[in-house]
Amino acid sequence: MVDKKSVFLKDQREIRLEDENDILLVVLDQEEITYTCSVPYPTGGYGGGRLLLSPTCQYLIFAYFSGESEEAFLLYQVKERELILVYATDYLCGEDADYFFSDDEKQLFQTLRTGAWSPESVNIDAQGEAYYEFGEIHLLEIEKKAFRKHVVLVYPLDTWVEEVTDEGPFRLLSIEGGQNLHLLMPWGRETCNIPLPSSVIIRPA
């Protein structure tokens, strides 16, 4: 997906984020403004934002953050003469949000970092094994407007080094056959089965 403050549709129209004063999504055709969408200023503050287009340019994501380890997004359907708001989240605790559409663009996934490994962050399960909350995978069923949260729990290896091993990317790479999610994690690639359980367990090799 394209990710910036200015994106271009297949018909060469431009959608631009202007947020120096008010927060505006502006549609331009050959530099002429044809539509302006005003975004209400978030009650939790505004630290900046970015635009992302779905592969077919049917949907536009306005992703933004508070500057206080919180992220949110607005999903719009791109029409010929307007942007129609489809779904909006409140601020979600976490950082480094990333987005991925299913091939049919009926589902939108968001990955979000919520934790890091350290001796203080470790929990112990019923079998006495250590784990910690690494992040969350959020799934939006676009037509149903159903939003679900899946917590990612990681069982660290004994060789991990605090603030080193799990620093890095967390994003969805691909969906295989509607049955597997392939994720890029700081230590490599991981695969999760679909449908996702409420708690996604990852045990790095």
Side-chain angles (χ1 to χ4, degrees):
M1 281 186 295
V2 180
D3 174 357
K4 55 183 76 172
K5 283 201 171 186
S6 175
V7 294
F8 286 87
L9 303 173
K10 292 182 177 180
D11 60 9
Q12 297 306 305
R13 284 182 298 157
E14 179 186 7
I15 303 177
R16 187 181 299 168
L17 168 63
E18 298 183 355
D19 58 0
E20 290 186 4
N21 296 303
D22 298 327
I23 304 175
L24 303 174
L25 304 178
V26 181
V27 181
L28 303 99
D29 189 352
Q30 297 181 350
E31 291 299 320
E32 179 181 348
I33 295 175
T34 61
Y35 179 77
T36 300
C37 175
S38 179
V39 177
Y41 193 85
T43 56
Y46 179 74
R50 57 198 170 112
L51 302 179
L52 305 93
L53 282 171
S54 68
T56 66
C57 297
Q58 179 183 3
Y59 292 107
L60 172 77
I61 298 171
F62 169 44
Y64 59 97
F65 60 94
S66 68
E68 299 292 336
S69 297
E70 298 169 315
E71 304 247 5
F73 72 87
L74 304 177
L75 178 67
Y76 293 90
Q77 187 172 21
V78 180
K79 293 292 189 179
E80 184 176 351
R81 293 183 173 84
E82 61 182 334
L83 301 175
I84 298 176
L85 181 63
V86 176
Y87 194 83
T89 70
D90 294 325
Y91 272 127
L92 303 165
C93 292
E95 298 179 332
D96 302 325
D98 198 73
Y99 300 86
F100 190 92
F101 284 92
S102 60
D103 289 342
D104 58 10
E105 298 191 2
K106 292 184 178 181
Q107 297 175 320
L108 172 62
F109 292 84
Q110 179 197 51
T111 53
L112 194 64
R113 284 293 303 262
T114 59
W117 179 80
S118 71
E120 291 77 20
S121 67
V122 165
N123 300 288
I124 303 298
D125 67 14
Q127 286 72 45
E129 293 187 80
Y131 72 94
Y132 71 102
E133 182 179 316
F134 174 87
E136 294 175 357
I137 301 172
H138 301 138
L139 170 58
L140 173 64
E141 300 279 359
I142 295 175
E143 293 179 356
K144 298 178 181 178
K145 299 182 180 180
F147 186 83
R148 298 195 300 273
K149 179 177 77 172
H150 306 271
V151 179
V152 178
L153 304 178
V154 173
Y155 283 70
L157 299 175
D158 294 337
T159 55
W160 281 19
V161 179
E162 183 177 355
E163 297 182 354
V164 175
T165 303
D166 71 347
E167 288 296 318
F170 174 41
R171 59 188 177 89
L172 205 158
L173 292 173
S174 64
I175 302 173
E176 181 183 4
Q179 296 181 335
N180 296 303
L181 290 182
H182 297 292
L183 298 167
L184 179 61
M185 312 286 286
W187 52 85
R189 298 190 179 194
E190 299 284 353
T191 297
C192 303
N193 295 329
I194 300 174
L196 294 173
S198 57
S199 295
V200 178
I201 306 297
I202 292 182
R203 296 176 180 270

